[in-house]
């Protein structure tokens, strides 16, 4: 059976549920329906399994025909639905015959997304275990893109079909323009990062949904926090900056002073604080938030949060408000302990009702902390109990994602604590560490274009504009921009995590502290970054895996670190392994011109590229010995850099940078 797209609407994609899980650790988001509840209900209505591939139509506007009789259901944002010109109800299973056109009207003032399920599901090839479309990554669905007029989709791939049925009134989610979102406190709340009054303001404010919102995240307009600390130290000059850590879908991410609710196409790793996280059962609402709608955050206790598995009354989706008696009073801290050697603190943080974030030591850049994260990750991966979904390492943290319908948060926290207590000391750790030599087009024209777009479309008075490299020079007290270039090319960057800005993008730090150029991140973030731009944020370097938003200060551009089209053919990539880098790899740079880089990028995209890779290892004890030998000079260089940053912070304060409106 085939369905033909007559009119695709503004943005229609193929999605399945729960999407592309298991790859958060390398920066692949789950994608899937942004409103999972309406999507799953559409499948139930036609008798499909809840997760069978279907269509997500942003703002509606879809029209299609089929070449054999079938059954279709439409759910989500209210709109007019017709079959062969005759109105049909939403939420009902409807017969469609060859020659009949199913037409979905445009959405009105309620909701953003409409879902269409066809009995048997849409049959498209899986990519990394899912049919879901990730348009930014250009994979999944139909060629990784939105549907266009004339597209033909095969139907009938789903197995274990049930009888179609009409949805009950108490199953249909309530849409509104004044939303309540159930949230759990954490992972980063008061009094460490936000003041108590900041959290009171957060719960007491009706935030407005910004027009610049999409599947990656819903940007909100609201009051600027006062913040509980002056800056982020080595993580960046703004108090929202932290050492890169894993995010949860549904986290309220403060990118500078701008709050953004992270969506199913959002980044897996980043360097901003998240004070609260939307519960799994309430995340469907993110898919229906329209620009101009208001959002209020209602704290709930994690143990009483509704189950995401339920599609009926227990989920309480048919009620347009959150029933709650208050949230957890632990500021997002599930517990604290010490490592077995008594040297390092361990903090267990709540990150929604489906994650535990484990953090080691103080908020500092220390490779020993990353070694401890690595040891814990390996131990937990070896255990792999039923219900474990993902393990995602950050600079000094490990996020443990679990299925809350299988494991409780308390059980997960106890399991992690027991495993951590049995770990050996990290100081003798030796891990494989390849040296990857990559080309760098310094101050590439594509990065200049991105800065210009930011100035014209987002913010023209930012201290890092019009030239990021000059800003980096000023932030670190260097004599000239040539010194910035020299340091970047001299440095040996150790990869601490992947997926910092999607698709195998590394967060990496120079092994020699004298090469650690510290900057702040954009506030607010850019809306566009060229693929494989290279930037510095805090003390970290990142290679952007794809086009998208971003906040690191540009230094240039390189070749691809992700190649899903020709992974086996492109040198350095492995079969069925589209990401180039691994944790603890070392990146070194060699200079190329803009024209040379264009040729190298074309070769890599076509599967002809080569990458110079030298095997090796990283020894924590050897690194410690190096730091001891060079301690005096390292302290001198870092003191000069810190003095320059203090001067820059003084200029920011005088210019009102810390009190400017987030809107």
């Amino acid at each position: 059976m085939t369905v033909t797209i007559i009119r695709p609407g503004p943005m229609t994609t193929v999605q399945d549920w729960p999407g592309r899980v298991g790859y958060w650790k390398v920066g692949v988001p789950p994608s899937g329906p942004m409103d999972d509840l309406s999507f799953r209900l559409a499948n139930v209505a036609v008798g499909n399994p809840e997760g069978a591939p279907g269509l997500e139509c942003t703002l509606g506007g879809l029209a299609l025909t089929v070449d054999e009789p079938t059954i279709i259901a439409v759910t989500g944002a209210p709109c007019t639905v017709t079959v062969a010109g005759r109105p049909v109800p939403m939420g009902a299973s409807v017969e469609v015959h060859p020659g009949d056109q199913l037409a979905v009207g445009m959405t009105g003032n309620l909701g953003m997304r409409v879902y269409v399920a066809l009995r048997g599901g849409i049959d498209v090839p899986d990519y990394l275990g899912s049919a879901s479309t990730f348009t930014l990554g250009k994979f999944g669905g139909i060629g990784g893109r939105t549907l266009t007029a004339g597209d033909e989709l095969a139907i009938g791939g789903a197995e274990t079909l049930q009888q179609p049925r009409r949805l009950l009134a108490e199953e249909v989610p309530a849409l509104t323009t004044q939303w309540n979102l159930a949230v759990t406190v954490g992972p980063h709340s008061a009094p460490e990062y936000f003041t108590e009054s900041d959290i009171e303001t957060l719960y007491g404010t009706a935030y407005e949904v910004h027009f610049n919102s999409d599947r990656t995240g819903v940007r909100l307009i609201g009051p600027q926090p006062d913040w509980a600390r002056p800056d982020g130290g080595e993580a960046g000059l703004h108090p929202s900056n932290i050492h890169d850590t894993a995010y949860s879908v549904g986290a309220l991410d403060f990118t500078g002073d701008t709050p953004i609710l992270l969506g199913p196409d959002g980044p897996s790793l980043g360097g901003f604080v998240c004070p609260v996280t939307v519960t799994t059962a309430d995340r469907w609402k993110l898919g229906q938030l329209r620009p101009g709608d208001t959002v209020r955050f209602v704290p709930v206790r994690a143990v009483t949060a509704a189950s995401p598995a339920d599609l009926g009354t227990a989920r309480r989706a048919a009620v347009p408000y959150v029933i709650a008696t208050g949230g957890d009073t632990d500021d997002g801290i599930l517990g604290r302990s010490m490592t077995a050697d008594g040297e390092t603190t361990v903090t267990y943080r709540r990150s929604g009702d489906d994650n535990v974030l484990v953090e080691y030591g103080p908020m500092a850049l220390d490779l020993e902390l990353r070694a401890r994260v690595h040891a814990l990750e390996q131990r937990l991966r070896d255990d792999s109990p039923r219900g474990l979904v993902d393990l995602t390492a950050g600079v000094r943290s490990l996020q443990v994602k679990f299925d809350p319908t299988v494991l409780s948060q308390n059980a997960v926290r106890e399991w992690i604590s027991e495993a951590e207590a049995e770990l050996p000391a990290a100081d003798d750790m030796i891990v494989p560490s390849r040296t990857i030599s990559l080309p760098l087009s310094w101050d590439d024209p594509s990065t200049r274009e991105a800065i210009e777009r930011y100035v014209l479309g987002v913010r023209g008075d930012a201290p890092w504009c019009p030239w990021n490299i000059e800003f980096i020079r000023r932030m670190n007290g260097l004599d000239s921009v040539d010194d910035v270039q020299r340091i970047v090319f001299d440095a040996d960057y150790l990869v601490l995590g992947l997926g910092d800005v999607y698709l195998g993008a590394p967060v990496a730090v120079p092994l020699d502290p004298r090469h650690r150029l510290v900057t702040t991140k954009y506030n607010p973030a850019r809306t566009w970054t060229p693929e494989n731009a290279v930037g510095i944020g805090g003390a970290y370097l990142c290679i952007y895996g794809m086009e998208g938003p971003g906040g690191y200060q540009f230094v240039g551009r390189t070749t691809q670190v992700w190649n899903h089209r020709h992974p086996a053919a492109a040198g350095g990539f492995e079969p069925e392994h589209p990401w180039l880098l691994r944790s603890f790899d070392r990146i070194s740079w060699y200079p190329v011109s803009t024209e040379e880089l264009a040729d190298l990028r074309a070769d890599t995209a076509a599967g002809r590229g080569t990458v110079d890779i030298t095997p090796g290892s990283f020894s924590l004890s050897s690194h410690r010995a190096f730091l001891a030998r060079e301690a005096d000079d390292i302290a001198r260089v870092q003191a000069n850099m810190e003095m320059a940053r203090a001067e820059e912070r003084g200029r920011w304060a005088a210019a009102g940078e810390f009190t400017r409106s987030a809107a």
Side-chain angles (χ1 to χ4, degrees):
M1 185 186 302
T2 300
V3 58
T4 300
I5 304 299
I6 306 301
R7 185 180 66 241
M11 180 178 177
T12 298
T13 56
V14 176
Q15 302 292 342
D16 64 2
W17 180 83
R20 195 168 282 105
V21 297
Y23 296 93
W24 204 236
K25 62 183 177 293
V26 293
V28 179
S31 298
M34 199 164 180
D35 172 358
D36 75 283
L37 181 55
S38 295
F39 179 90
R40 293 159 66 191
L41 287 171
N43 272 322
V44 168
V46 299
N48 287 342
E50 291 179 17
L55 300 179
E56 177 180 88
C57 314
T58 301
L59 297 175
L62 174 73
L64 57 81
T65 60
V66 294
D67 63 355
E68 293 183 26
T70 191
I71 296 175
I72 294 178
V74 180
T75 60
C79 60
T80 300
V81 182
T82 62
V83 172
R86 298 184 302 273
V88 297
M90 295 187 69
S93 55
V94 178
E95 291 189 10
V96 179
H97 299 278
D100 292 347
Q101 183 178 115
L102 172 80
V104 176
M106 300 299 290
T107 59
N109 295 326
L110 292 178
M112 274 283 286
R113 290 172 176 84
V114 178
Y115 294 91
V116 179
L118 297 96
R119 184 167 174 80
I122 294 174
D123 190 7
V124 295
D126 278 2
Y127 182 72
L128 297 179
S130 172
S132 285
T133 307
F134 181 41
T135 56
L136 291 176
K138 298 180 175 61
F139 54 74
I142 304 297
R145 60 171 172 80
T146 59
L147 299 185
T148 61
D151 279 341
E152 294 185 349
L153 311 175
I155 304 299
E159 300 176 356
T160 321
L161 297 177
Q162 305 294 323
Q163 285 298 314
R165 70 172 176 86
R166 184 159 187 167
L167 303 179
L168 304 176
E170 55 267 28
E171 293 176 311
V172 178
L175 274 62
T176 179
T177 59
Q178 299 176 336
W179 295 86
N180 282 189
L181 297 182
V183 296
T184 57
V185 62
H188 302 114
S189 187
E192 296 170 285
Y193 303 96
F194 294 84
T195 65
E196 295 291 351
S197 64
D198 285 337
I199 301 302
E200 291 178 7
T201 299
L202 178 68
Y203 292 144
T205 297
Y207 289 83
E208 182 183 343
V209 176
H210 193 275
F211 68 86
N212 189 14
S213 300
D214 54 25
R215 285 178 50 89
T216 65
V218 178
R219 183 178 175 181
L220 302 176
I221 302 170
Q224 177 178 321
D226 291 327
W227 300 105
R229 54 188 193 146
D231 56 51
E234 286 179 297
L237 198 58
H238 195 276
S240 67
N241 297 166
I242 57 174
H243 296 286
D244 285 54
T245 189
Y247 291 139
S248 168
V249 174
L252 182 64
D253 184 33
F254 271 83
T255 59
D257 297 310
T258 302
I260 299 175
L261 285 164
L262 298 180
D265 282 356
S268 62
L269 202 69
F272 295 106
V273 294
C274 302
V276 295
T277 306
V278 180
T279 63
T280 49
D282 251 26
R283 290 175 196 167
W284 69 268
K285 296 176 181 177
L286 273 61
Q288 300 298 353
L289 296 176
R290 290 180 65 93
D293 285 359
T294 59
V295 172
R296 284 187 177 271
F297 299 105
V298 181
V300 300
R301 297 181 61 211
V303 294
T304 63
S307 170
D310 188 81
L311 298 182
T313 56
R315 187 154 177 170
R316 303 190 290 271
V319 180
Y321 51 86
V322 173
I323 302 172
T325 57
D328 292 289
T329 58
D330 52 17
D331 297 320
I333 306 297
L334 297 171
R336 287 190 170 96
S337 64
M338 297 293 293
T339 53
D341 57 13
E343 292 187 359
T344 306
T345 58
V346 188
T347 304
Y348 302 90
R349 298 181 183 272
R350 180 187 300 103
S351 186
D353 58 338
D354 56 344
N355 296 282
V356 174
L357 183 66
V358 186
E359 288 184 346
Y360 283 99
M363 181 59 73
L365 174 52
D366 184 342
L367 295 185
E368 181 173 333
L369 302 182
R370 181 61 180 87
R372 291 187 180 276
V373 169
H374 177 73
L376 178 62
E377 179 184 9
Q378 297 307 306
R379 169 58 194 275
L380 297 183
R381 200 175 298 282
D382 289 343
D383 287 355
S384 290
R386 178 174 170 269
L388 177 65
V389 176
D390 254 321
L391 297 170
T392 307
V395 171
R396 50 182 281 272
S397 62
L398 180 70
Q399 181 169 278
V400 181
K401 181 175 179 58
F402 57 91
D403 182 346
T405 67
V406 177
L407 293 168
S408 72
Q409 198 161 54
N410 285 336
V412 171
R413 184 251 186 267
E414 290 174 3
W415 166 58
I416 300 170
S417 182
E418 291 172 3
E420 204 290 321
E422 298 172 359
L423 295 178
D427 55 3
D428 58 352
M429 186 191 79
I430 300 176
V431 296
S433 178
R434 309 175 303 167
T435 297
I436 315 291
S437 183
L438 292 174
L440 181 62
S441 169
W442 185 256
D443 197 19
D444 191 81
S446 65
T447 62
R448 289 283 192 140
E449 179 187 351
I451 297 172
E452 184 177 358
R453 288 194 192 186
Y454 182 82
V455 169
L456 295 176
V458 180
R459 184 182 175 196
D461 65 342
W464 43 87
C465 296
W467 192 19
N468 291 175
I469 295 174
E470 163 58 24
F471 176 70
I472 296 171
R473 181 206 67 76
R474 195 170 71 238
M475 281 277 291
N476 292 275
L478 302 177
D479 292 333
S480 71
V481 291
D482 291 340
D483 291 333
V484 179
Q485 184 174 9
R486 173 184 54 78
I487 290 173
V488 169
F489 279 100
D490 285 350
D492 219 7
Y493 289 90
L494 186 71
V495 175
L496 302 184
L498 296 175
D500 188 46
V501 198
Y502 297 105
L503 303 191
V507 54
V509 65
L511 282 169
D512 187 337
R514 291 168 292 196
H515 294 152
R516 292 175 187 169
L517 301 170
V518 178
T519 72
T520 194
K521 305 176 184 80
Y522 278 45
N523 174 29
R526 290 183 302 272
T527 56
W528 179 75
T529 300
E531 180 188 53
N532 303 134
V534 180
I536 298 174
Y540 303 105
L541 176 138
C542 176
I543 304 170
Y544 287 77
M546 63 182 200
E547 287 188 12
Y552 282 33
Q553 306 291 336
F554 292 124
V555 295
R557 195 182 191 195
T558 187
T559 49
Q560 293 87 333
V561 293
W562 176 277
N563 190 347
H564 68 274
R565 301 194 188 281
H566 303 285
F573 294 84
E574 300 174 10
E576 305 303 321
H577 193 286
W579 54 95
L580 173 66
L581 301 168
R582 308 169 186 167
S583 289
F584 295 101
D585 278 350
R586 307 180 197 208
I587 300 171
S588 64
W589 301 108
Y590 64 90
V592 295
S593 67
T594 302
E595 294 74 21
E596 288 172 323
L597 179 65
D599 290 341
L600 291 170
R601 289 180 55 78
D603 285 345
T604 303
R608 300 187 300 267
T610 59
V611 180
D612 184 6
I613 300 177
T614 304
S617 62
F618 171 75
S619 165
L620 186 59
S621 60
S622 297
H623 181 66
R624 280 179 166 177
F626 163 77
L627 296 179
R629 288 194 308 271
E630 303 295 329
D632 290 344
D633 195 52
I634 289 172
R636 178 189 62 80
V637 172
Q638 289 189 320
N640 290 337
M641 290 181 171
E642 289 169 5
M643 185 181 302
R645 287 193 291 277
E647 293 173 355
E648 180 70 12
R649 191 179 188 284
R651 288 189 288 268
W652 282 27
E657 177 67 19
F658 296 110
T659 56
R660 63 181 297 274
S661 171

